[in-house]
Amino acid sequence: MLRKATKVASSCLDCHNCATSSALAIQNTMLLGTVLPTIADGYAKMATWIDEDAKRHDERGEMRVMRVSDVARESLGLRAGSPDCPLGVTLRMEPQEWRRMTRRVIQYEMAVSRDDEFGESGFMEVLVRMEKRLRKLREEMNRAHAAIAAGDPAAQFPPSPAGASLFASKPCTGGVDASGNPLCVKLMESVSHVAKNIAVDV
């Protein structure tokens, strides 16, 4: 589910239709501003569950069982997607060994960039792209406002077939922190900080 949500968020970032009007641009940004922290929370809860489950098995002196299978592209036609998949292997391991392995899966899923034969973006990579886009969005909004204030009748942001821009009538007033950083960008930085802590704690 988290992988699919990350893929959807990546697609939203690349949406060309959302750049054609102010209303679509703000809806796209608000959607991502909600979805990305939710994905990060999902990974955090998953990591917490892994740690707690490993601890419970340790306390009981029980081994942990994991079922894994080959996910290479050339093996796609052989995967059954069921417990009796011919490519599946059942492993029994110590709880902390299981914890380290499952945590590495999360680390891979969240990697900033990864050698993924399926061409999918890691969660951290999507966060970096979102932060860059927010900075660019704010700069373009303020530049359009300055052009309108200077009397340029053609100035608007983003270029919209519907007419005057929803944003460019005034500069971006979303607020800044004590260092002058936009709060929207700080939100993404906070999400990135949480995500990095999850990814490195293996």
Side-chain angles (χ1 to χ4, degrees):
M1 183 178 67
L2 293 174
R3 184 184 300 154
K4 288 183 178 179
T6 300
K7 187 175 182 178
V8 170
S10 180
S11 298
C12 288
L13 270 174
D14 296 330
C15 179
H16 298 294
N17 290 332
C18 292
T20 60
S21 74
S22 301
L24 290 176
I26 194 170
Q27 289 172 17
N28 179 282
T29 301
M30 291 176 68
L31 171 65
L32 288 167
T34 302
V35 169
L36 292 175
T38 302
I39 295 174
D41 183 63
Y43 277 117
K45 289 179 178 178
M46 183 185 298
T48 298
W49 177 84
I50 290 171
D51 293 346
E52 291 175 349
D53 191 76
K55 182 179 179 181
R56 281 194 298 270
H57 280 74
D58 259 337
E59 292 172 348
R60 298 170 184 170
E62 299 174 345
M63 299 290 283
R64 194 64 171 80
V65 177
M66 174 181 283
R67 181 78 174 171
V68 297
S69 64
D70 186 1
V71 296
R73 184 179 295 276
E74 57 269 19
S75 303
L76 288 177
L78 301 176
R79 294 221 311 267
S82 59
D84 60 348
C85 174
L87 297 178
V89 177
T90 299
L91 304 176
R92 295 183 75 251
M93 60 190 74
E94 296 290 340
Q96 292 307 315
E97 182 183 4
W98 170 84
R99 175 192 175 276
R100 286 190 295 272
M101 182 174 291
T102 50
R103 280 293 204 129
R104 287 193 182 99
V105 173
I106 293 179
Q107 186 181 56
Y108 174 79
E109 291 290 330
M110 299 182 70
V112 174
S113 60
R114 64 192 195 195
D115 183 17
D116 193 316
E117 62 177 318
F118 297 100
E120 296 181 353
S121 298
F123 179 60
M124 292 298 297
E125 180 182 350
V126 175
L127 286 178
V128 170
R129 288 163 53 204
M130 179 62 174
E131 182 180 334
K132 289 180 179 178
R133 197 181 80 166
L134 286 172
R135 292 185 184 278
K136 181 180 179 181
L137 183 69
R138 184 181 176 94
E139 291 172 359
E140 291 180 352
M141 287 168 60
N142 289 338
R143 186 162 53 247
H145 167 71
I148 289 176
D152 183 354
Q156 59 176 336
F157 174 79
S160 172
S165 170
L166 175 69
F167 294 124
S169 58
K170 60 181 180 179
C172 180
T173 56
V176 296
D177 65 7
S179 302
N181 296 309
L183 295 183
C184 58
V185 175
K186 291 296 294 182
L187 171 63
M188 287 301 105
E189 289 179 347
S190 298
V191 175
S192 295
H193 178 71
V194 171
K196 287 176 182 176
N197 287 340
I198 299 169
V200 300
D201 186 15
V202 177

